[in-house]
Amino acid sequence: MRAAIYPGSFDPVTFGHLDIIERAAAIFDELTVSILNNTTKTPLFSVEERVNILKEATKHLPNVKIDSFSGLLVDYAMQKDIHVSVRGLRAITDFEYELQIAQTNNKLSGGSLDTVFLTTNLEYSYLSSSSVREIASFHGDISQFVPAFVVEKVYEKFGF
Ligand code: PNS
């Protein structure tokens, strides 16, 4: 069985992430979307909230599982016996950072974890969770960037 992990912060999940999830789910037999529990950052949504949001947003995809992890991606992947990590590349600016992480993960895993890059659909190449958070903080329109049920949850976080 071809299994892969799509790790990330997903704070919040955007249409860009969902595009990658749908395409990766069509390539792999099983895709585990896993949210990093990053204790050094204060996220907008808790890990539990993000798990629930991602479950709702991917409920039409039977081979997609939602999970979370702490610590190193390689440790989590090896524990799950998954050997492919999926990441989206939006633009050349993502490349250097992603290449560094991919190579570090490959080295750390002794060659057991490879990274597969999917190029983000051009429609979403400008999109990031951080810009969604910033626009929402000023009560700007984020409906083109995240699913409708997420729009409401993001606004609630900013007290709108
Ligand atoms: O959505 P993001 O914030 O760009 O995702 C980054 C993520 C979660 C994929 C990356 O930070 C990660 O895997 N962190 C876990 C710690 C780790 O394994 N780091 C890699 C060695 S540099």
Side-chain angles (χ1 to χ4, degrees):
M1 188 183 73
R2 289 171 307 166
I5 296 172
Y6 179 26
S9 303
F10 307 106
D11 189 35
V13 69
T14 66
F15 285 134
H17 296 129
L18 291 171
D19 172 57
I20 297 288
I21 292 171
E22 289 192 355
R23 285 158 57 210
I27 296 170
F28 294 96
D29 297 316
E30 188 175 275
L31 180 73
T32 303
V33 180
S34 203
I35 300 154
L36 174 67
N37 186 1
N38 188 345
T39 48
T40 64
K41 277 190 190 171
T42 308
L44 188 61
F45 290 99
S46 70
V47 170
E48 198 188 355
E49 287 172 321
R50 280 176 279 164
V51 165
N52 289 333
I53 289 171
L54 272 161
K55 279 187 178 164
E56 176 68 23
T58 60
K59 65 182 181 196
H60 60 296
L61 300 168
N63 62 334
V64 172
K65 294 202 299 192
I66 311 300
D67 195 17
S68 61
F69 73 105
S70 304
L72 289 177
L73 176 65
V74 281
D75 292 339
Y76 170 75
M78 294 308 105
Q79 194 189 317
K80 295 232 155 230
D81 198 23
I82 298 179
H83 302 273
V84 178
S85 168
V86 172
R87 293 285 289 168
L89 280 181
R90 287 170 300 191
I92 193 74
T93 41
D94 281 342
F95 183 73
E96 218 169 313
Y97 168 73
E98 292 294 341
L99 181 70
Q100 189 189 357
I101 291 194
Q103 289 176 331
T104 305
N105 283 337
N106 187 261
K107 195 80 179 163
L108 277 177
S109 67
S112 290
L113 184 65
D114 269 311
T115 301
V116 168
F117 293 111
L118 292 182
T119 52
T120 300
N121 188 316
L122 275 182
E123 204 185 330
Y124 306 121
S125 59
Y126 59 89
L127 188 52
S128 69
S129 296
S130 56
S131 54
V132 168
R133 292 195 300 270
E134 184 165 335
I135 296 163
S137 73
F138 297 109
H139 208 192
D141 181 6
I142 55 168
S143 62
Q144 299 174 71
F145 311 137
V146 300
F149 80 95
V150 180
V151 172
E152 296 311 315
K153 290 181 190 296
V154 174
Y155 284 151
E156 265 171 37
K157 288 284 175 186
F158 289 105
F160 298 121

